[in-house]
Each structure stands twice: as structure tokens, then as C-alpha cells.
Amino acid sequence: MNKPKLYISGAITGKPDLNRTKFANATKTFRDLGYIVVNPHEICYDLKEDEWNQCMRRCIIALMDCDTVILLDDWQSSTGATVEYQLAFGIGMEVFNIDLFLKCIQP
């Protein structure tokens, strides 16, 4: 069985260094486990923080190519992550809190 392609969702705007470390750690964890991971920081690397709309458009397109959304612990404080959650849940994608997903996949 193929592993699902994962999209990482969490707070970025207003966080120190745009929360890059938290996203990078989650991305590394899942890639080390053999997952294909989509990280918003990698999608929007060339955009400035004030180009939120353009980044969200890119992220939504990328999210639609994934199987599962992984929510970081701060996602509820983020407008963008809330949009991603609502969209994913609304179309029937699998959506997991990162800690729960890690528990489910570990033997």
C-alpha cells in the first residue's frame, strides 16, 4: 500500500521566523519515514510575508494534490490553516493532528 502524500498545515503569519523550524521539523520527520511531504514554506519560498494571498493560492493548489492534511498544534490560530482545514474536511480529505497521526503510523 502506498503512503499518502502529506500536506503540512499550521500557523505562519505573525510567528517568529514564520514558524519555519516547526514546519521543517515536521517535514523532516515524515520524509524520514518515507512520505512525500508538501511544506508551504517550500511552495512560497520566493514570496514576501505580505504576499499572503498569492501564497494561499499556491498552497491550495498543492493541497489539492495531497491525500492527507497534517495539522500542527498551532493551526487553529491561523487564518490560512483554518481555510486549509475547512477545504480539506469539506471535500472529504483525511485530516489529522500531527501527534495523532504519528501515533497511528508508529508500530
Side-chain angles (χ1 to χ4, degrees), residues 43-55:
I43 297 168
C44 299
Y45 69 93
D46 61 331
L47 296 176
K48 295 179 178 72
E49 187 174 357
D50 65 348
E51 295 178 293
W52 183 85
N53 290 339
Q54 292 88 339
C55 186

Side-chain angles (χ1 to χ4, degrees), residues 8-12 16-33 37-42 72 74 98:
I8 307 296
S9 182
I12 293 176
D17 194 32
L18 302 176
N19 223 1
R20 282 186 175 89
T21 300
K22 189 177 282 190
F23 277 83
N25 289 342
T27 299
K28 181 178 179 351
T29 295
F30 292 118
R31 286 182 178 157
D32 286 352
L33 292 169
V37 180
V38 176
N39 175 337
H41 285 291
E42 295 171 355
L72 300 178
D74 55 9
I98 188 170

